[in-house]
C-alpha cells in the first residue's frame, strides 16, 4: 500500500487554514443570520401550503349542499318583459303556468291614449277567467314592421289554481302591448311565421 507523505498533508492543511480565526461575535452573527433565513423559508413554505389548501377547499363544491332549484319567473309585467320569445313557464302567485300553443291574433288597434301601445285581441279560453292564460309578445320590430304573437298557457300539473277566479268574461281577450315607440305607419304582422297583416 502506498504511504501518505505527512509533510505534504501538513502543508496543504496549513494553506487551507486561516492564520487567525475570526472574532467569535462575527461567527455568532453569521449563525444567527443562517437560522433566521431558514426560519423565514420554512414559514413561507408553510403559508403557501396552507393558502393552497384553502383555495383548493373553497373551489370544490360540498357534496352535502344541494344545488339551488332554478327560479321560476313571476308573472311578466306588461311593457317590461314582453319582448322576444315567450317564456316556457311563469308564476301567478303560487301557480306555475306552462307554455302551450301559439294562438291566433284576431284584431289589433292602436291605444287612443298612447300611440306606442297596441290593444291586441285574441280568442278567449274557458280557463281565462281564473288566471292569465294568454300572453302577447313582440317578436321583432324595425322601422317598417312589428311582428307580434299570442300564446296560450296552462296550469302545471299538481298546482293549486290560485283563488283568482271571477265571473267568466265574454268576448275576445284585450291585451295591452307596449312597443316603447309609436306605431306610426309601420305594418303589424301577427304570428311567429307568415305575413298576415293585422294593422296598416
Amino acid at each position: 500500500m502506498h504511504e501518505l507523505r505527512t509533510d505534504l498533508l501538513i502543508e496543504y492543511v496549513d494553506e487551507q487554514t486561516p492564520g487567525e480565526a475570526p472574532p467569535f461575535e462575527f461567527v455568532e452573527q453569521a449563525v444567527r443570520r443562517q437560522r433566521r433565513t431558514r426560519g423565514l423559508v420554512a414559514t413561507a413554505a408553510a403559508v403557501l401550503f396552507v393558502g393552497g389548501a384553502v383555495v383548493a377547499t373553497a373551489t370544490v363544491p360540498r357534496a352535502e349542499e344541494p344545488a339551488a332549484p332554478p327560479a321560476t319567473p313571476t308573472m311578466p309585467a306588461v311593457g317590461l318583459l314582453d319582448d322576444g320569445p315567450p317564456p316556457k313557464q311563469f308564476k301567478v302567485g303560487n301557480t306555475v303556468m306552462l307554455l302551450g300553443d301559439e294562438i291566433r291574433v284576431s284584431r289589433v288597434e292602436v291605444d287612443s291614449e298612447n300611440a306606442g301601445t297596441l290593444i291586441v285581441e285574441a280568442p278567449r279560453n274557458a280557463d281565462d277567467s281564473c288566471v292569465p292564460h294568454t300572453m302577447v309578445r313582440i317578436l321583432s320590430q324595425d322601422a317598417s314592421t312589428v311582428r307580434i304573437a299570442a300564446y296560450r298557457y296552462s296550469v302545471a300539473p299538481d298546482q293549486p289554481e290560485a283563488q283568482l277566479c271571477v265571473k267568466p268574461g265574454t268576448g275576445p281577450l284585450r291585451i295591452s302591448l307596449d312597443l316603447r315607440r309609436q306605431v306610426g305607419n309601420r305594418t303589424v304582422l301577427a304570428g311567429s311565421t307568415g305575413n298576415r297583416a293585422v294593422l296598416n
Side-chain angles (χ1 to χ4, degrees), residues 34-54:
Q34 286 178 343
R35 285 182 181 167
R36 264 198 313 268
T37 304
R38 280 193 221 116
L40 288 173
V41 168
T43 303
V47 167
L48 287 173
F49 177 77
V50 171
V54 167

Side-chain angles (χ1 to χ4, degrees), residues 129-152:
S129 57
C130 294
V131 290
H133 284 66
T134 303
M135 183 184 294
V136 181
R137 306 290 291 182
I138 304 166
L139 300 182
S140 64
Q141 61 176 319
D142 56 30
S144 60
T145 59
V146 178
R147 182 176 293 279
I148 64 171
Y151 299 90
R152 188 83 73 204

Side-chain angles (χ1 to χ4, degrees), residues 43-88:
T43 303
V47 167
L48 287 173
F49 177 77
V50 171
V54 167
V55 168
T57 305
T59 56
V60 174
R62 297 182 184 170
E64 68 271 7
E65 291 179 2
T72 303
T74 54
M75 176 62 186
V78 174
L80 294 177
L81 297 176
D82 48 9
D83 284 303
K88 299 286 185 194

Side-chain angles (χ1 to χ4, degrees), residues 138 140-147 179 181-189 199-200:
I138 304 166
S140 64
Q141 61 176 319
D142 56 30
S144 60
T145 59
V146 178
R147 182 176 293 279
L179 300 179
R181 57 187 169 129
Q182 292 189 359
V183 178
N185 294 325
R186 294 186 292 169
T187 301
V188 178
L189 304 175
L199 187 69
N200 289 343

Side-chain angles (χ1 to χ4, degrees), residues 107-166:
R107 183 170 180 272
V108 173
E109 63 186 48
V110 179
D111 188 338
S112 59
E113 297 178 5
N114 184 349
T117 300
L118 295 177
I119 306 298
V120 181
E121 290 188 1
R124 187 179 294 275
N125 188 24
D127 294 333
D128 281 342
S129 57
C130 294
V131 290
H133 284 66
T134 303
M135 183 184 294
V136 181
R137 306 290 291 182
I138 304 166
L139 300 182
S140 64
Q141 61 176 319
D142 56 30
S144 60
T145 59
V146 178
R147 182 176 293 279
I148 64 171
Y151 299 90
R152 188 83 73 204
Y153 285 79
S154 61
V155 177
D158 303 324
Q159 288 288 312
E161 181 116 16
Q163 299 299 312
L164 301 175
C165 296
V166 294

